[in-house]
Amino acid sequence: MEINEFLVKVKEVFEDTDVQLITPKSIFRDLDEWDSLTALSLIAMTDQEYSVKLTGDDINISNTLQDIFEIIKAKS
Amino acid sequence: MTKNTFSLKGRTILVTGASSGIGREVAITLHHFGATLILNARNVGRLKEVQTQIGEDKCTTVVGDLTNNDTIAKIIEACVLLDGIVHAAGVMKLLPFKFITPEALSEMMNVNFASPIHLTLELVKKRKIAKESSIVVITSISGSVVGSKANAMYAASKGALSGMIKSMAIDLAKSKIRINEIAPGMIRTEGAIIEFENTVSNEEILKDIKKYPLGTYGSPEDVANGCVYLLADASRWVTGTKLVIDGGFTVQ
């Protein structure tokens, strides 16, 4: 499982965000587009693409997109 | 001596989704108002607990999933003649619109919309519902009154019920069978809390609670008390309507 593939999918979730701002080190919570709907979209995308159930807690304890990716890898 | 028009004494009422949340509280409350219960749910352990609390002499159970025709057949068999039904069985699943799949939509519509309608249909056709009885469907402000975030499928299922109830009320009025909906706002139940705590942060939940003029989420008792009114003689001239129980949310 490769992080760049994951980031392509994340760019689709953050459809109004400049693609340059979507990197492994991005603090997703600080992005303008981050809100509860984006969070739910991230959860839905992860379920659909990786069959992994990301929870609100998983998102709460993460800071960067790399953190989220690691959790998805661990749950796969 | 004035008759107690809120009494449910001598009435037999079917409650679905009775093992937890709203359904469970409805069952217990209706019993307090004198009703005999027939309860349906999928979880045999939790259903038995509710039955024990009410007392086996006043309460029979039919375990099974309402999307399954066998369960519907078992319920038909367990009912002699009903004076009321409360459809409280249902599921919630948050999913942003873009991520809806035909399968997910189909499942939500099947569990929340088609099953209660199918069950009611069978009970009516097999003449298991008495004249002057009353049917209550638990819908939601989401779908029946307003929209809500990442909740289009659930809203669709509740909106569909709301539409159906209006016409059913007219068709069933000939037999003096009344049907009404209760559209609750957010109610603190295990089902709702688990779905929300898994997907939405505590911060979001606290922000949401502040949107309710009365300052809290509702409790299952709030909905159960509404059921008592709609099932009792007190509402004998009420049909096809929607009782909104939402702490003032939709009036803003």
Side-chain angles (χ1 to χ4, degrees), chain B:
Chain B
M1 184 168 105
T2 358
K3 199 167 62 126
N4 181 355
T5 51
F6 286 80
S7 170
L8 299 175
K9 206 154 171 229
R11 311 218 181 171
T12 303
I13 299 176
L14 168 67
V15 180
T16 67
S19 61
S20 68
I22 292 172
R24 178 175 177 277
E25 197 58 44
V26 167
I28 293 168
T29 302
L30 298 186
H31 167 67
H32 281 145
F33 278 80
T36 299
L37 279 320
I38 300 178
L39 305 182
N40 159 258
R42 294 169 301 173
N43 187 308
V44 57
R46 292 202 295 228
L47 197 56
K48 270 268 165 280
E49 269 174 40
V50 180
Q51 184 186 32
T52 306
Q53 190 170 341
I54 291 175
E56 282 180 37
D57 54 328
K58 284 292 191 178
C59 178
T60 52
T61 62
V62 178
V63 179
D65 190 321
L66 286 172
T67 59
N68 190 323
N69 285 332
D70 287 339
T71 305
I72 303 226
K74 282 199 284 182
I75 293 175
I76 305 285
E77 222 185 290
C79 298
V80 177
L81 198 60
L82 295 173
D83 301 296
I85 309 173
V86 178
H87 289 291
V91 294
M92 299 181 83
K93 185 180 168 64
L94 292 177
L95 198 57
F97 178 72
K98 263 173 43 175
F99 290 89
I100 291 176
T101 61
E103 297 74 29
L105 182 58
S106 211
E107 191 182 333
M108 178 68 77
M109 292 305 293
N110 193 22
V111 174
N112 282 7
F113 170 68
S115 297
I117 297 301
H118 184 207
L119 172 60
T120 306
L121 200 45
E122 287 303 304
L123 287 166
V124 168
K125 287 198 303 194
K126 301 275 192 311
R127 300 173 184 270
K128 300 281 179 153
I129 305 188
K131 283 194 185 292
E132 299 184 6
S133 58
S134 170
I135 304 171
V136 180
V137 183
I138 308 298
T139 59
S140 172
I141 55 172
S142 182
S144 189
V145 187
V146 293
S148 55
K149 198 178 275 193
N151 215 10
M153 297 191 306
Y154 178 81
S157 70
K158 297 300 188 177
L161 283 171
S162 186
M164 190 122 191
I165 284 159
K166 293 171 178 61
S167 285
M168 277 171 80
I170 296 170
D171 286 0
L172 293 173
K174 187 173 169 200
S175 317
K176 300 271 191 285
I177 297 171
R178 301 183 292 109
I179 178 164
N180 295 283
E181 64 173 294
I182 292 181
M186 188 62 186
I187 304 290
R188 286 196 169 280
T189 66
E190 307 91 90
I193 298 298
I194 289 171
E195 173 69 13
F196 276 39
E197 284 181 349
N198 272 344
T199 48
V200 175
S201 71
N202 270 337
E203 233 181 279
E204 287 292 332
I205 293 179
L206 289 172
K207 256 174 42 185
D208 194 47
I209 291 177
K210 289 206 173 105
K211 295 183 191 163
Y212 286 78
L214 288 178
T216 61
Y217 281 154
S219 71
E221 287 91 349
D222 298 319
V223 181
N225 288 329
C227 288
V228 172
Y229 168 65
L230 290 173
L231 290 166
D233 285 347
S235 61
R236 67 181 179 193
W237 204 53
V238 178
T239 195
T241 194
K242 163 166 47 203
L243 179 55
V244 174
I245 299 182
D246 72 350
F249 188 90
T250 52
V251 87
Q252 301 169 101

Side-chain angles (χ1 to χ4, degrees), chain A residues 17-32:
Chain A
T17 303
D18 188 341
V19 294
Q20 313 231 21
L21 297 174
I22 309 288
T23 72
K25 295 252 184 302
S26 307
I27 300 175
F28 55 84
R29 221 171 265 105
D30 289 346
L31 295 167
D32 280 344

